[in-house]
Amino acid sequence: ATERAQISAEAGTTRKSPFSQPKFREARAMADEEEEVPQPVWAGSYDEDGKPQGTGRMQYPPAPVGEDEEEKPGDTFEGTFEHGLRHGKGKYIWGKSGAVFQGVYDNGLKSGKGKLVFPDKSTYDGDWENDTMQGQGTYVYASGDMYVGGFRTGKREGKGMYNNQQVGCQFVGEWSAGGFVSGHWVLKDGSMFNGSFKDGVNPVEGAYYFSRSGLLQAGGFNGGDNTWQGRAPPIVGTVDKLAELAISRPAAKAF
């Protein structure tokens, strides 16, 4: 009887799962918190599908960092959304790098007029297409150099002028894939070269105007040490004749 009573007592006892104990509940809650991915916070209106719509402010979560790295603030966008995508005028600030874009978006991409301030404080102000510098614009470099002209897929393309602040010279003419290919190289003393270029801004063949003497000469630059080599006797002339002389330059002959 005693044994049966003991069995009945145990059967009537409410047994708790070990996972319901406080220490296990706490561990499970911590695991859930670790798995939760931070989400952007939108301060504005929503469309019928619950996506950001209209003018407002979006705060993005900070980017993940390593153990020894300092956490930077997340990116922010203030402007217009259309069905969850940046669309129209707005200002985007990258929290980690400090870069800032202010301009026009189209379906989430920079498109139209806009200005981007890069982390090194260089700036581009001009046309954008599909999130890329494309069209006409002005790029001011951190060094103080400046380029004004055409861009294609983020590189200098077409007609443009590059001003080298440190050297005190300009390159005015045609650009391709970021490099200068033909046009005028204007030096600080007023001397000028008109002709072809390669490998960025290295002069090759054409004609040179010497500002001190007022002489013009057809020729080219030695690829080794970049020194000038005349191909014909120098003549008296003006800068406006430089391009004509560069086109009609004679066959190679040192002078």
Side-chain angles (χ1 to χ4, degrees), residues 139-217:
Y139 197 119
V140 180
Y141 298 82
S143 62
D145 292 1
M146 180 175 65
Y147 170 81
V148 180
F151 284 83
R152 185 177 181 183
T153 62
K155 296 180 179 180
R156 297 183 291 266
E157 184 82 19
K159 295 185 181 299
M161 181 277 295
Y162 188 102
N163 181 63
N164 189 308
Q165 182 76 11
Q166 184 175 1
V167 177
C169 67
Q170 293 182 341
F171 297 90
V172 185
E174 293 292 327
W175 299 75
S176 178
F180 192 51
V181 292
S182 65
H184 289 81
W185 175 25
V186 185
L187 283 77
K188 190 174 183 178
D189 66 353
S191 298
M192 186 183 304
F193 169 78
N194 178 274
S196 60
F197 294 74
K198 68 176 183 179
D199 301 332
V201 291
N202 293 320
V204 184
E205 291 285 335
Y208 201 99
Y209 169 73
F210 300 88
S211 61
R212 294 183 180 181
S213 62
L215 296 176
L216 299 172
Q217 187 178 38

Side-chain angles (χ1 to χ4, degrees), residues 90-115:
K91 180 179 182 180
Y92 193 103
I93 301 176
W94 283 264
K96 186 175 182 179
S97 67
V100 180
F101 173 79
Q102 187 161 7
V104 181
Y105 285 85
D106 183 20
N107 290 322
L109 302 176
K110 295 184 284 290
S111 191
K113 298 292 184 181
K115 180 179 181 179

Side-chain angles (χ1 to χ4, degrees), residues 16-28:
K16 296 182 179 180
S17 167
F19 296 103
S20 66
Q21 301 303 313
K23 62 178 181 179
F24 289 105
R25 287 201 303 268
E26 182 180 349
R28 185 166 57 186

